[in-house]
Amino acid sequence: MAGPNLRQRIGHGFVSRQVLAENAAIAAAQHAGGAEGFAPLDVGGQQGEAFFDFMFGELRDKPLKASDGDLAALARAMKEPPGATDADFDNTDIPAGFTYLGQFVDHDITLDLTPLSVAMEDPEMVKNFRTPGLDLDCVYGAGPGPHRFLFARAPNEAGQVVDTPKLLIGTAQASSENDDRPGQVPDLPNDLPRNAQGVALIGDHRNDENLVVAQIHLAFLKFHNAVVDHLAGSVDKSQLFAEAAKTVRWHYQWMVLHDWVERLTETGIVAKILHEGRRFYRFQTKPFMPWEFSGAAYRLGHSMVRQTYSHNRIFRTREPRLFNADLSTLFGFTNLSGNIGTAFPTLPSNWAIDWRRFFDLPPPADQSQFEFNHSRKLDAGLIEALHNLPGSEPGTATASLAFRNLKRGVQIGLPSGQDVAALMRQKIAFDPISPAEIAQGPDGAVAKDLGFDKNTPLWYYILKEASARGGGKRLGPVGTRIIAEVFIGIVQGDEGSYLSQPGWTPHLPAAVPGTFFMTDLLKFVAAAEDSANPLKGLNPVGD
């Protein structure tokens, strides 16, 4: 989710090249299609020649057509009902932290470091585009030379201050304690590094647009530093950064495929597709970003967002607390979307995240002040806050993220969910959802009245499929294949990924040797920060 002014920052060079490419391609399609803008996109000629292209090229001439009025009516119906309870709408299989890990991953695969002047000359990214990759450019930028500002400096053996292979870590400044306790929360090493204006010194500014993503980015900075310490003494100093970065990237790639993708889809699908091959996401030389992925399937994260979160013992849903942690506050305690740099020089220390509330980590013995955050179900209901986006006129169609997603799918020229399912069934067997299943629920009744039960926008189809086939806990067959094949293809298309070394498995400490999940990463970082008290790093504010 972008902050209220993120997409207005193109003029300042403050936006990823992906946004330029999306907007340029959509503008081209609208120009070709006249007033309605229904013509399918023609980006890159042969499949995969540009950053964006169609995964199902056979359907590029069959775009779903719909009026703004019909899309707005469906969007209005895509709401969690008033008084919705956590028991009814929580997805107990996916902790809430994965909502924002998914956003961090999205920023990673769409980051392009092309200079803005060059990007403007090639807005559709047809030539010299950076391929999508799980390479953590958002963390490392262009590396220790070009992006020295990302790295820590320290005295060497001769007392000279030199660049080190470690990344900079910021300090969260001392701040108020909870009302039931005296004193303050002290300074903590739990903020992104920042300049004097509060701007985060990181490889991708988008990771400072909401607090949970910012804290995940910080966890990866610390992960790299912990790996540097882990490898020190066994690797030549001149190769320490490169070897640490490779170790971090490979464990991250393995984790994305096995802890994120398989959590969304089905256990074992990574091994299955690696063995059988990708059936739908195909490219000649280098990966591209499929419109069906970026414009529909991977927008699943919007349905996972909660209205409020239990962030730590100070900012939580119940008393005692200072106040609640809702979406507005999570955006507020950043620089890109909020008040760091104006009201606050850094993140206040009382906003350091308690990871045990966001991922499956051991809870405290006394849980009287502890609440765990589950993600919301994968379904067609979005929380109220996503229907009233900041910076938009309340009550208008464009204030709704659901409408924006539906509209974007039509602008792009995405095919219907039914057409995609029919094409996929020529190669794999599955039971597609029926019009009756799409018509289920209040939103489904509206969809049926508008004819969307039989000719369904792809994003909406994937959410209804997750509800009908995955019980709201996992994706259905169409969503599963798009998500799994694209992520696997992105890793396979990277000559430097862990898949380039057959038989490689994670080797860092983990609960299950030979695996590496997000919980292992967080515990590894916490142990590196304080081996005597490894739980402190998981919950810096304390119980």
Side-chain angles (χ1 to χ4, degrees):
M1 297 178 298
N5 59 349
L6 183 59
R7 292 188 181 272
Q8 279 67 53
R9 298 191 178 192
I10 293 177
H12 301 283
F14 259 7
V15 71
S16 77
R17 197 177 177 205
Q18 180 201 16
V19 174
L20 297 177
E22 282 188 5
N23 291 342
I26 288 170
Q30 290 176 322
H31 178 75
E36 294 296 326
F38 289 137
L41 294 178
D42 183 16
V43 181
Q46 296 182 4
Q47 187 172 26
E49 281 190 358
F51 186 92
F52 288 98
D53 210 334
F54 286 98
M55 185 172 177
F56 304 99
E58 305 93 323
L59 299 176
R60 67 168 61 232
D61 294 326
K62 294 187 65 178
L64 181 139
K65 300 181 181 181
S67 70
D68 283 2
D70 286 352
L71 296 178
L74 178 59
R76 285 193 295 271
M78 293 180 66
K79 289 183 179 181
E80 286 189 356
T85 66
D86 289 348
D88 291 333
F89 291 94
D90 274 0
N91 180 356
T92 55
D93 284 4
I94 302 183
F98 284 98
T99 307
Y100 299 95
L101 177 63
Q103 187 177 2
F104 175 89
V105 170
D106 174 66
H107 290 172
D108 186 31
I109 62 178
T110 60
L111 176 63
D112 191 282
L113 299 176
T114 305
L116 187 62
S117 60
V118 177
M120 293 296 285
E121 293 173 1
D122 179 27
E124 293 181 13
M125 298 170 79
V126 174
K127 57 187 178 182
N128 300 324
F129 64 92
R130 175 190 178 275
T131 58
L134 290 168
D135 45 23
L136 290 176
D137 283 3
C138 59
V139 170
Y140 295 117
H147 284 174
R148 289 180 61 207
F149 66 90
L150 298 176
F151 292 84
R153 288 169 59 78
N156 63 10
E157 296 173 354
Q160 300 169 317
V161 177
V162 297
D163 294 348
T164 76
K166 287 189 173 184
L167 293 159
L168 276 173
I169 304 296
T171 298
Q173 293 189 353
S175 54
S176 302
E177 248 295 358
N178 216 346
D179 290 340
D180 64 335
R181 304 193 185 193
Q184 285 190 314
V185 178
D187 287 356
L188 293 171
N190 286 89
D191 190 18
L192 298 171
R194 300 184 183 277
N195 66 15
Q197 287 75 42
V199 176
L201 301 175
I202 55 179
D204 189 339
H205 64 283
R206 295 174 296 173
N207 285 347
D208 191 28
E209 71 178 18
N210 82 61
L211 181 56
V212 183
V213 173
Q215 293 281 284
I216 287 174
H217 190 106
L218 175 65
F220 275 88
L221 301 181
K222 292 183 174 184
F223 180 41
H224 169 85
N225 291 350
V227 172
V228 169
D229 289 337
H230 183 75
L231 296 177
S234 62
V235 176
D236 186 270
K237 288 184 179 180
S238 65
Q239 297 299 313
L240 186 53
F241 168 77
E243 191 62 31
K246 186 179 84 169
T247 300
V248 167
R249 286 183 174 120
W250 284 17
H251 282 76
Y252 163 68
Q253 290 165 357
W254 194 98
M255 180 187 75
V256 169
L257 294 187
H258 294 86
D259 198 17
W260 174 225
V261 171
E262 292 204 347
R263 194 178 290 268
L264 287 173
T265 58
E266 60 187 67
T267 302
I269 195 169
V270 172
K272 179 180 179 180
I273 293 176
L274 288 175
H275 175 69
E276 297 177 354
R278 288 172 278 111
R279 304 293 181 86
F280 308 105
Y281 179 50
R282 310 298 292 269
F283 47 86
Q284 294 295 321
T285 57
K286 53 187 178 181
F288 63 94
M289 181 59 63
W291 289 109
E292 297 89 341
F293 176 91
S294 66
Y298 205 56
R299 298 191 178 218
L300 59 85
H302 298 154
S303 73
M304 299 170 64
V305 176
R306 301 179 60 85
Q307 187 77 32
T308 60
Y309 292 86
S310 177
H311 188 76
N312 57 29
R313 66 169 173 81
I314 296 176
F315 301 103
R316 53 196 288 265
T317 52
R318 296 185 297 184
E319 298 290 348
R321 65 183 185 187
L322 287 186
F323 55 87
N324 202 359
D326 58 17
L327 282 185
S328 64
T329 52
L330 293 182
F331 278 92
F333 284 92
T334 66
N335 173 266
L336 187 60
S337 304
N339 298 315
I340 291 181
T342 53
F344 307 97
T346 72
L347 181 72
S349 59
N350 54 17
W351 275 102
I353 197 169
D354 181 352
W355 289 119
R356 304 169 306 169
R357 297 170 190 256
F358 287 84
F359 291 98
D360 284 322
L361 293 159
D366 179 3
Q367 298 188 38
S368 60
Q369 295 189 29
F370 181 86
E371 305 87 24
F372 187 77
N373 301 297
H374 297 288
S375 66
R376 284 313 222 198
K377 286 183 177 178
L378 292 163
D379 60 19
L382 274 62
I383 61 169
E384 180 63 32
L386 299 185
H387 287 272
N388 290 284
L389 297 176
S392 301
E393 185 178 347
T396 61
T398 55
S400 165
L401 185 59
F403 172 77
R404 294 186 187 188
N405 286 347
L406 293 167
K407 173 70 171 177
R408 203 158 190 81
V410 171
Q411 289 176 314
I412 290 169
L414 290 179
S416 70
Q418 286 82 1
D419 283 343
V420 171
L423 188 63
M424 290 178 66
R425 292 181 72 209
Q426 296 176 16
K427 295 184 179 181
I428 60 173
F430 64 90
D431 181 22
I433 55 174
S434 66
E437 289 174 302
I438 293 173
Q440 290 293 312
D443 60 278
V446 174
K448 181 177 180 179
D449 288 342
L450 298 169
F452 289 142
D453 59 326
K454 298 178 181 178
N455 190 36
T456 311
L458 184 57
W459 174 62
Y460 181 67
Y461 182 96
I462 288 169
L463 294 179
K464 295 296 283 190
E465 184 190 57
S467 182
R469 293 289 182 270
K473 295 187 174 184
R474 289 177 179 264
L475 293 171
V478 170
T480 286
R481 271 287 163 166
I482 294 174
I483 293 295
E485 288 206 10
V486 170
F487 273 113
I488 291 169
I490 284 174
V491 178
Q492 287 182 312
D494 178 359
E495 295 178 354
S497 77
Y498 84 87
L499 291 176
S500 68
Q501 183 174 315
W504 183 89
T505 56
H507 53 76
L508 292 176
V512 178
T515 69
F516 198 76
F517 300 114
M518 187 63 184
T519 50
D520 296 313
L521 184 153
L522 294 169
K523 287 188 286 188
F524 180 76
V525 168
E529 286 189 298
D530 188 345
S531 59
N533 184 14
L535 295 180
K536 181 180 179 182
L538 299 176
N539 176 31
V541 172
D543 291 320

